[in-house]
Amino acid sequence: SRSSWCCCGQTFKEHSAIHKHVARTHDTEIQQLTQATYKCLLNQLEEEPEAQQLNERKSRPVDICVWIPETGHTSEDGPGTVLLYYHYCQLEDPHVICAWQKALCEKLHLTGKVRVATEGINGTVGGTNMATNLYIEAMCSHPLFKMDKEDFKTSDGGAECFTDLRIGVYKEIVPMGVDPDVISYQLAGVHLEPEEFHKEVEALLAEGDSCSDTILLDCRNFYESKIGQFTRCLAPDIRKFSYFPDYVDQNLELFKDKKVLMYCTGGIRCERGSAYLRSKDVCKEVYQLKGGIHKYLEQYPEGFYRGKLFVFDERYAISSNSDVISDCRYCSCPWDKYELCSTQFCCQLVLSCPSCRQNGHTACCPTCQTKGQAKSEASPAVLHHKEECECTCGRPRIPQDMPFICFKHKFTDSLKFE
């Protein structure tokens, strides 16, 4: 059957007839449609090269070898260093950075822990002085990071300070438990250089108990601040940094109209912690110590930070002054050297002096000690990882803190509580 076309109530059976009708009757409409189609095609042609380049970049395999320095033979022997660093920046493909970090650390015989996310990188690694220097050079020369040598905190150590090498991709580079897209590090408080922070603490101490509008806030975990802290600080009794947001939420009145000076080990927890605190819009001002306690102690080893600095490796702590501010769990004599609880899979840290350890007090609490003895005498059984004990069950998850005027007395009393 032959085709036919209908238009304007008429039927056309020939191509020439419908063409003449359209040309005579719908000329204006055809021109408008033609121009619109042309513009659409033109836009597609302009966008195509950019989209094509983007797809090519995504599909093209990344040669991570170009980011690894030529080292020849890197010795695994010699004096060593432990590095601590972080850097916030946008990473489109954190898995590529993760693969590069693994290859780089393995080539340099480094051990440690590195967290990679779309928001940046956070790591602590140990190795020989030569290897850690090459690692710093690789990080500083990488086009995505553009870090400076001053961004790295160093301490005496080496590969032996870590049991292995752990590198992975995560949602956050520091686990606060809040989506970085909701509370970004870009909302962080004002960064104070160690000299500026030192002056602020000096002024706070000079005013004594009469100063009620400033809070010196330690945003680390209780077992860290237990062995070292700034004089006259508020050290929340929390076990994990992921509890910090809840701590802030339940103590908002404490921070109302206050000037807050925050600090942590290397600065990264303050980035997110100060951002969260500022998001509550209750503080007058929020400041943070740039580079953390690590950088402060480089300039002020005998400054206002007293005791040991807790570190997350096999050393547990490093020191810059001789003060011992904590006590033995069992006899209360001055002691600040942590050991792991002797009960298998407990994973709690305990302060037990040599004398008490010789007397068998090697667990984190009496309950754990009894549990450990019972299991060693009984036949082997299936053990659960990270068992609960007095230390965890008896501790409030989120403490309610008292007014600032009582902080000094509160913390002195709590030093004897494990």
Side-chain angles (χ1 to χ4, degrees), residues 172-322:
E172 305 169 273
I173 58 174
V174 60
M176 189 172 75
V178 177
D179 192 330
D181 294 331
V182 177
I183 302 293
S184 168
Y185 70 93
Q186 294 176 328
L187 298 173
V190 178
H191 293 66
L192 296 180
E193 296 289 344
E195 309 87 48
E196 299 173 300
F197 197 85
H198 184 80
K199 289 179 181 178
E200 289 286 348
V201 177
E202 189 174 38
L204 174 65
L205 297 178
E207 293 189 34
D209 289 340
S210 63
C211 180
S212 59
D213 66 342
T214 301
I215 294 177
L216 181 55
L217 178 62
D218 190 326
C219 62
R220 299 174 300 160
N221 305 319
F222 81 91
Y223 53 85
E224 298 175 77
S225 58
K226 191 181 184 76
I227 62 171
Q229 58 177 247
F230 274 94
T231 306
R232 202 170 177 271
C233 73
L234 164 60
D237 197 22
I238 55 176
R239 290 197 305 119
K240 300 177 181 179
F241 184 55
S242 57
Y243 294 173
F244 185 79
D246 286 341
Y247 171 80
V248 169
D249 291 344
Q250 294 186 29
N251 290 277
L252 284 177
E253 195 62 32
L254 194 68
F255 299 105
K256 189 174 182 181
D257 299 324
K258 295 292 193 299
K259 174 182 178 180
V260 179
L261 304 170
M262 295 180 67
Y263 69 88
C264 62
T265 306
I268 189 169
R269 280 179 280 187
C270 284
E271 300 282 6
R272 295 293 307 287
S274 66
Y276 189 84
L277 184 57
R278 289 190 68 224
S279 73
K280 298 301 171 180
D281 200 26
V282 295
C283 301
K284 184 168 63 177
E285 300 167 288
V286 179
Y287 298 93
Q288 66 186 74
L289 174 57
K290 184 179 179 181
I293 303 165
H294 239 295
K295 286 293 185 183
Y296 178 86
L297 290 178
E298 288 179 11
Q299 295 188 42
Y300 301 99
E302 294 293 340
F304 298 120
Y305 184 89
R306 310 310 300 173
K308 302 287 193 301
L309 171 59
F310 185 92
V311 290
F312 290 91
D313 58 54
E314 298 298 305
R315 298 171 298 173
Y316 293 126
I318 55 178
S319 61
S320 65
N321 56 71
S322 58

Side-chain angles (χ1 to χ4, degrees), residues 29-257:
E29 296 170 67
I30 292 296
Q31 286 187 23
Q32 291 174 349
L33 284 171
T34 302
Q35 288 176 358
T37 303
Y38 173 75
K39 287 181 180 179
C40 183
L41 288 171
L42 191 62
N43 289 335
Q44 287 179 1
L45 288 171
E46 290 175 349
E47 292 173 2
E48 192 174 86
E50 186 177 344
Q52 185 176 352
Q53 289 175 11
L54 183 61
N55 289 331
E56 285 177 358
R57 284 201 300 269
K58 287 182 178 180
S59 60
R60 187 189 306 145
V62 179
D63 183 9
I64 61 174
C65 293
V66 300
W67 299 333
I68 298 176
E70 288 295 331
T71 60
H73 175 69
T74 305
S75 174
E76 296 182 52
D77 301 320
T81 300
V82 171
L83 302 177
L84 178 68
Y85 72 92
Y86 70 91
H87 187 71
Y88 279 103
C89 62
Q90 190 63 35
L91 300 178
E92 288 185 9
D93 194 343
H95 292 279
V96 170
I97 300 300
C98 182
W100 166 60
Q101 280 289 310
K102 286 180 180 178
L104 177 63
C105 290
E106 287 172 359
K107 183 168 185 178
L108 297 175
H109 308 295
L110 300 179
T111 58
K113 295 169 282 189
V114 180
R115 294 175 67 98
V116 185
T118 55
E119 64 172 353
I121 188 170
N122 174 28
T124 177
V125 295
T128 63
N129 291 342
M130 179 185 292
T132 51
N133 284 334
L134 286 169
Y135 183 85
I136 291 174
E137 288 177 15
M139 292 294 291
C140 291
S141 62
H142 195 285
L144 290 178
F145 298 118
K146 300 175 183 176
M147 296 175 70
D148 296 321
K149 289 186 178 181
E150 291 71 27
D151 293 326
F152 294 84
K153 299 94 184 176
T154 63
S155 56
D156 294 335
E160 69 278 4
C161 294
F162 302 91
T163 56
D164 54 16
L165 176 65
R166 299 181 185 181
I167 302 174
V169 175
Y170 300 85
K171 179 69 176 176
E172 305 169 273
I173 58 174
V174 60
M176 189 172 75
V178 177
D179 192 330
D181 294 331
V182 177
I183 302 293
S184 168
Y185 70 93
Q186 294 176 328
L187 298 173
V190 178
H191 293 66
L192 296 180
E193 296 289 344
E195 309 87 48
E196 299 173 300
F197 197 85
H198 184 80
K199 289 179 181 178
E200 289 286 348
V201 177
E202 189 174 38
L204 174 65
L205 297 178
E207 293 189 34
D209 289 340
S210 63
C211 180
S212 59
D213 66 342
T214 301
I215 294 177
L216 181 55
L217 178 62
D218 190 326
C219 62
R220 299 174 300 160
N221 305 319
F222 81 91
Y223 53 85
E224 298 175 77
S225 58
K226 191 181 184 76
I227 62 171
Q229 58 177 247
F230 274 94
T231 306
R232 202 170 177 271
C233 73
L234 164 60
D237 197 22
I238 55 176
R239 290 197 305 119
K240 300 177 181 179
F241 184 55
S242 57
Y243 294 173
F244 185 79
D246 286 341
Y247 171 80
V248 169
D249 291 344
Q250 294 186 29
N251 290 277
L252 284 177
E253 195 62 32
L254 194 68
F255 299 105
K256 189 174 182 181
D257 299 324

Side-chain angles (χ1 to χ4, degrees), residues 328-330 335 337 339 350-354 356-357 361-363:
C328 171
R329 167 73 173 83
Y330 293 94
W335 189 252
K337 294 179 181 177
E339 298 278 356
V350 58
L351 293 172
S352 181
C353 69
C356 288
R357 293 188 73 82
H361 298 304
T362 55

Side-chain angles (χ1 to χ4, degrees), residues 397-410:
R397 182 179 180 276
I398 308 298
Q400 291 280 345
D401 271 314
M402 297 179 286
F404 183 56
I405 195 170
C406 302
F407 290 167
K408 181 169 60 178
H409 309 295
K410 168 182 174 291

